[in-house]
Amino acid sequence: MEKAIIVSSNDEVTRKIEMLLAHEGFSKLTADSGSQARRLFNNAAEPSLIIINTPLPDEFGQELAVTAAETTSAAIIMLCSNDISDDIADHVSEHGINVLSRPLNRDLFQRTIRLVTSSRSRMIGMKRESTEVMTRIGEMRIINRAKTALMKYLKFTEPQAHRYISKQAMNNRQTRRETAEKILSQYEK
């Protein structure tokens, strides 16, 4: 079950949001101020969704939304009064924060929740894929350095060095990276 944090000092709005989130399958935590929400961000497991109903008693909520966008991977929705929602959206949209105006349209709110959570899922998938690619690139660099060391010190050709690393890895039941690191520890001092 995905988790949402609702930041709102208005009990009626909080109840409406809780009902809509329950319908979407979210568990929820609530905070009624920016400072309480910041403590939740630091102490609780990272939420999938953060909804901020502005204004809050200790701040407006814009700074809280930007901080949440910079420190979490949660999808963020800000709720503002209709007369300022466009201005707020201009300031926070570059941080990936979605702004909806009050009064809330139930269908629009549910579609927005689905949209931001699906976008978040794609972003997390891309981030995971990027991390895997960077790991593979790092591994290739180490293997190439080991090949270069073999070519320099043992006068291997590049194909010979490649075969040597692959064969050593297979014979010793190691990854090619582990074999390359052993070679580097011998020749790069």
Side-chain angles (χ1 to χ4, degrees):
M1 179 176 270
E2 295 188 80
K3 183 171 58 172
I5 295 179
I6 303 167
V7 186
S8 175
S9 60
N10 183 319
D11 292 336
E12 181 182 336
V13 172
T14 302
R15 278 193 304 278
K16 286 180 182 177
I17 294 171
E18 285 176 338
M19 287 184 351
L20 291 170
L21 289 176
H23 184 263
E24 293 296 322
F26 282 89
S27 65
K28 57 211 163 292
L29 296 171
T30 58
D32 57 11
S33 68
S35 57
Q36 187 180 11
R38 283 182 174 84
R39 284 191 296 276
L40 276 178
F41 296 165
N42 292 333
N43 297 331
E46 186 166 304
S48 301
L49 176 66
I50 298 172
I51 300 172
I52 302 170
N53 180 36
T54 63
L56 301 172
D58 55 349
E59 63 180 284
F60 180 73
Q62 182 175 335
E63 302 83 14
L64 175 66
V66 170
T67 300
E70 291 172 348
T71 59
T72 71
S73 64
I76 303 168
I77 300 173
M78 280 184 71
L79 306 176
C80 302
S81 62
N82 193 29
D83 57 333
I84 62 169
S85 63
D86 288 337
D87 291 335
I88 297 299
D90 289 341
H91 288 96
V92 299
S93 62
E94 67 188 48
H95 298 282
I97 300 166
N98 296 276
V99 178
L100 294 177
S101 60
R102 288 188 310 263
L104 280 180
N105 175 314
R106 179 186 178 116
D107 291 335
L108 177 63
F109 187 63
Q110 286 181 310
R111 281 194 305 266
T112 302
I113 288 172
R114 290 179 188 135
L115 174 70
V116 298
T117 55
S118 66
S119 295
R120 175 185 179 270
S121 296
R122 284 196 65 181
M123 179 187 69
I124 287 174
M126 290 171 61
K127 186 176 180 181
R128 187 177 307 121
E129 186 178 306
S130 172
T131 302
E132 290 170 4
V133 166
M134 294 307 291
T135 301
R136 279 188 262 148
I137 288 172
E139 183 176 301
M140 288 171 45
R141 285 183 177 151
I142 290 171
I143 292 169
N144 285 334
R145 279 184 31 223
K147 285 182 194 178
T148 302
L150 290 172
M151 290 164 42
K152 180 178 178 182
Y153 294 108
L154 300 180
K155 307 298 183 211
F156 283 6
T157 64
E158 195 276 335
Q160 288 172 327
H162 179 81
R163 274 193 304 279
Y164 179 80
I165 291 171
S166 296
K167 186 168 171 114
Q168 289 297 313
M170 194 175 7
N171 290 344
N172 296 327
R173 293 189 173 113
Q174 297 176 319
T175 64
R176 290 179 346 132
R177 179 186 185 129
E178 291 169 332
T179 301
E181 288 171 344
K182 278 187 178 180
I183 292 168
L184 289 174
S185 69
Q186 287 177 331
Y187 294 107
E188 285 187 352
K189 293 179 182 176

